[in-house]
């Protein structure tokens, strides 16, 4: 170790030229991000290799130096991957940790890597690469979930169940229709990640600290090497915005809302009061004290994930709000939120896909529930309009009286006799019983996007085609 290196370590490992003393221990604790940003090591090394190769191609560093840097970075990568790398808080972040190790491994050329670059464009590049990968992970997680839901929808295309509004029995629907509602939601979620991915796929690298650089760099070459569509067009924007992370978090939060609603339905449906479904052993737990219990823990935890995912997005929106251009250290607070949200979203997507695939659906219970609660009252009112020529408002009134009559008799609408119905309205005929059954009810709802099994099967076929 040379004297000058010793000196710089006594004062400050990274900017000993300017700084005489090292940071306070608490400064180091608040400032260091290595505890979490070490997750960016693959992206950091990828970015550095692309940068070094470009510097050599442009004649800014020698081929020999670029080669030494490239090989050194491969060694660093394998050291990190095999757990041999020692991360140091004194070196602040992943960028300085890797560069310092490179210096030890290859010597002088390592010092040339940071030419025409700053940690500001470096971290923006690393983080974009990381979030882009998470978009891909969300897209494939959603794809698997959509496929699982489509399969269940096809199986239950004509299984009748109660459709609810206000969680009160409203009209019969089919189980397939209910599943396909989530397919639509999850497909929109997927397209939000696809859109966000497209928009974020521009390279900040080469924006340098904020103003670009006087070196003759080729930003198009590094953009291409890193799989970006193009370099970002404004260097200030490149280092100072995190809208790509905000978009990822927003798309994640909306997706987590959808997951939470489905999870809530599974919790309700698997209760002893509903018995619409049973969770498989794989996705439930028992109780340490109540032997009869089978708790839908996975569904409950998925239901809760929106809390932390939305929390992460609120946190980052709040960090970014009011920040003047360009980079500010506040932005270091972006990563933990996004890491946590991404980890939990991927887990929730995988758990939901597994749960949907393994769910036992109790068709007979669904049908029994669909038949109770006067779920075909609207069909009766519609029949009175169509067949007896009543204005809808009067039909609504007549049907209400019939429901009251059935309720008083403790029976359901199809259990009333024709004589009982005539007492309320003489225009009712035997044909009314055709629409009072739940199967007839759902079969009649042939409007596009309606719950009729034919319509559900058509939607299943459309999605199968889209999914390929
Ligand atoms: N660790 C920093 C971050 O995550 C890297 C960028 C540091 N830039 C700077 N000008 N201090 O934001």
């Amino acid at each position: 170790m040379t004297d000058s290196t010793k000196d710089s370590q006594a004062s400050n490992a990274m900017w000993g030229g300017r700084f005489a003393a090292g940071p306070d221990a608490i400064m180091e604790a608040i400032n260091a991000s290595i505890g979490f940003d070490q997750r960016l090591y693959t992206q950091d090394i990828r970015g550095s290799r692309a940068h070094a190769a470009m510097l050599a191609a442009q004649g800014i560093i020698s081929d020999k130096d670029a080669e030494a840097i490239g090989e050194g970075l491969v060694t660093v990568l394998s050291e990190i991957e095999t757990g041999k790398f020692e991360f140091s808080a004194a070196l602040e972040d992943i960028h300085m940790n890797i560069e310092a190790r490179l210096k030890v491994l290859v010597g002088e050329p390592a010092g040339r890597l940071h030419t025409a670059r700053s940690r500001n464009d470096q971290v923006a590049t690393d983080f974009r690469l990381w979030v882009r990968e998470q978009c891909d992970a969300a897209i494939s997680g959603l794809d698997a979930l959509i496929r699982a839901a489509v399969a269940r929808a096809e199986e239950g295309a004509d299984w009748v169940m109660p459709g609810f509004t206000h969680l009160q029995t409203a009209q019969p629907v089919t189980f397939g229709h209910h599943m396909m509602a989530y397919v639509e939601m999850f497909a929109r979620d997927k397209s939000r990640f696809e859109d966000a991915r497209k928009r974020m796929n521009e390279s900040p690298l080469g924006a340098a600290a904020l103003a670009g650089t006087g070196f003759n760099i080729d930003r198009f070459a590094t953009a291409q090497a890193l799989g970006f569509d193009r370099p970002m067009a404004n260097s200030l924007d490149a280092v100072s915005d995190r809208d790509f992370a905000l978009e990822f978090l927003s798309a994640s939060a909306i997706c987590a809302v959808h997951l939470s609603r489905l999870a809530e339905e599974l919790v309700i449906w698997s209760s002893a009061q509903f018995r619409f479904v049973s969770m498989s052993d794989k996705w439930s737990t028992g109780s340490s004290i109540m032997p009869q219990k089978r708790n839908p823990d996975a569904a409950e935890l998925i239901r809760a994930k929106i809390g932390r995912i939305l929390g992460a997005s609120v946190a980052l929106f709040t960090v970014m709000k009011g920040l003047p251009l360009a980079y500010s250290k506040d932005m270091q607070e972006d990563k933990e939120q996004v890491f946590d949200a991404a980890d939990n979203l991927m887990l929730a997507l995988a758990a939901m896909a597994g749960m949907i695939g393994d769910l036992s659906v109790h068709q007979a219970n669904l049908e029994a529930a669909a038949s109770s609660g006067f779920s075909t009252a609207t069909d009766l009112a519609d029949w009175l309009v169509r067949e007896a020529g009543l204005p809808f408002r009067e039909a609504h009134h007549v049907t209400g009286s019939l429901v009251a009559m059935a309720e008083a008799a403790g029976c359901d609408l199809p259990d009333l006799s024709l004589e009982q119905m005539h007492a309320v309205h003489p225009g009712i005929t035997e044909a009314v019983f055709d629409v009072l059954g739940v199967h007839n009810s759902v079969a009649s709802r042939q409007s596009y996007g309606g719950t009729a099994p034919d319509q559900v099967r058509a939607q299943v076929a459309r999605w199968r085609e889209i999914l390929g």
Side-chain angles (χ1 to χ4, degrees):
M1 192 182 281
T2 64
D3 283 344
S4 80
T5 332
K6 260 189 226 145
D7 279 345
S8 74
Q9 283 189 347
S11 56
N12 188 298
M14 296 169 291
W15 24 83
R18 168 79 172 80
F19 282 58
D24 188 277
I26 293 175
M27 173 56 188
E28 188 173 292
I30 195 173
N31 196 38
S33 53
I34 189 62
F36 50 88
D37 69 11
Q38 51 183 271
R39 279 186 80 160
L40 298 177
Y41 70 90
T42 328
Q43 292 72 22
D44 196 69
I45 288 170
R46 224 184 132 190
S48 288
R49 295 189 68 193
H51 183 66
M54 179 278 291
L55 290 177
Q58 294 297 103
I60 299 167
I61 65 173
S62 69
D63 287 344
K64 201 164 138 273
D65 285 348
E67 215 165 284
I69 291 169
E71 281 168 15
L73 287 170
V74 172
T75 307
V76 174
L77 182 64
S78 87
E79 287 179 353
I80 297 176
E81 272 166 355
T82 54
K84 286 193 203 117
F85 193 97
E86 272 184 44
F87 293 103
S88 148
L91 291 165
E92 264 193 53
D93 56 25
I94 187 63
H95 325 294
M96 303 302 287
N97 268 266
I98 289 176
E99 196 182 316
R101 180 66 188 146
L102 188 65
K103 181 90 202 280
V104 174
L105 290 171
V106 309
E108 202 240 65
R112 300 188 189 279
L113 170 60
H114 215 49
T115 313
R117 185 178 80 168
S118 148
R119 275 189 297 159
N120 296 349
D121 58 336
Q122 192 177 355
V123 72
T125 304
D126 294 2
F127 200 32
R128 262 180 201 251
L129 289 171
W130 195 88
V131 175
R132 189 178 75 182
E133 270 174 37
Q134 297 303 308
C135 286
D136 291 337
I139 290 163
S140 68
L142 278 160
D143 197 77
L145 175 54
I146 290 167
R147 285 169 195 276
V150 168
R152 300 316 302 251
E154 183 161 44
E155 179 190 19
D158 57 8
W159 298 355
V160 287
M161 66 178 281
F164 300 95
T165 61
H166 313 268
L167 198 55
Q168 308 288 318
T169 299
Q171 295 170 355
V173 295
T174 64
F175 183 76
H177 197 52
H178 201 111
M179 281 293 113
M180 291 308 286
Y182 283 102
V183 167
E184 295 289 331
M185 291 179 239
F186 292 134
R188 284 194 299 276
D189 291 338
K190 191 175 151 198
S191 75
R192 265 183 281 275
F193 286 109
E194 287 163 350
D195 286 350
R197 190 197 193 284
K198 264 184 228 141
R199 243 182 317 277
M200 76 177 66
N201 203 30
E202 293 188 342
S203 174
L205 194 58
L210 74 166
T213 175
F215 289 99
N216 178 31
I217 59 171
D218 183 353
R219 293 191 59 210
F220 289 85
T222 46
Q224 195 185 16
L226 297 171
F228 288 117
D229 295 330
R230 62 192 81 84
M232 291 180 76
N234 183 294
S235 62
L236 291 168
D237 174 42
V239 293
S240 69
D241 205 1
R242 293 292 183 268
D243 62 350
F244 64 96
L246 293 174
E247 265 199 90
F248 174 77
L249 290 175
S250 304
S252 298
I254 296 174
C255 179
V257 169
H258 292 154
L259 286 168
S260 186
R261 295 185 74 175
L262 178 52
E264 164 70 351
E265 299 208 298
L266 295 177
V267 170
I268 295 174
W269 292 355
S270 62
S271 69
Q273 287 68 30
F274 271 74
R275 293 180 196 276
F276 285 4
V277 299
S278 300
M279 301 282 184
S280 92
D281 289 355
K282 290 203 264 178
W283 304 102
S284 42
T285 64
S287 158
S288 54
I289 175 167
M290 295 165 281
Q292 85 283 10
K293 289 198 76 179
R294 172 189 287 279
N295 294 327
D297 293 36
E300 294 167 89
L301 289 163
I302 294 171
R303 186 172 60 184
K305 290 299 182 195
I306 177 63
R308 57 204 294 170
I309 293 172
L310 184 61
S313 95
V314 171
L316 187 55
F317 271 101
T318 312
V319 166
M320 294 307 296
K321 176 201 166 294
L323 281 189
L325 303 190
Y327 178 84
S328 295
K329 196 61 172 262
D330 308 50
M331 286 156 63
Q332 182 165 286
E333 292 287 318
D334 56 2
K335 286 174 267 309
E336 281 171 294
Q337 301 296 343
V338 177
F339 291 163
D340 187 73
D343 290 345
N344 282 284
L345 181 71
M346 304 319 152
L347 201 52
L349 285 171
M352 185 58 94
M355 241 169 22
I356 291 294
D358 291 337
L359 203 61
S360 304
V361 182
H362 305 310
Q363 192 189 346
N365 295 351
L366 291 177
E367 179 155 348
S371 309
S372 71
F374 314 110
S375 66
T376 53
T378 319
D379 299 274
L380 173 53
D382 286 349
W383 186 89
L384 288 167
V385 169
R386 223 171 33 242
E387 308 296 331
L390 269 60
F392 184 78
R393 282 297 158 216
E394 194 188 334
H396 185 285
H397 188 82
V398 168
T399 305
S401 304
L402 289 166
V403 167
M405 178 185 270
E407 198 164 38
C411 68
D412 219 322
L413 284 174
D415 305 322
L416 294 174
S417 68
L418 196 57
E419 289 70 49
Q420 284 174 301
M421 293 193 191
H422 278 161
V424 178
H425 197 279
I428 301 176
T429 67
E430 192 70 33
V432 77
F433 289 98
D434 288 346
V435 301
L436 294 182
V438 289
H439 287 281
N440 290 330
S441 170
V442 295
S444 74
R445 297 202 143 68
Q446 289 284 357
S447 53
Y448 178 81
T451 198
D454 292 346
Q455 290 296 324
V456 174
R457 289 196 184 96
Q459 291 299 328
V460 165
R462 183 172 74 86
W463 277 108
R464 287 230 186 272
E465 177 115 5
I466 292 169
L467 295 165

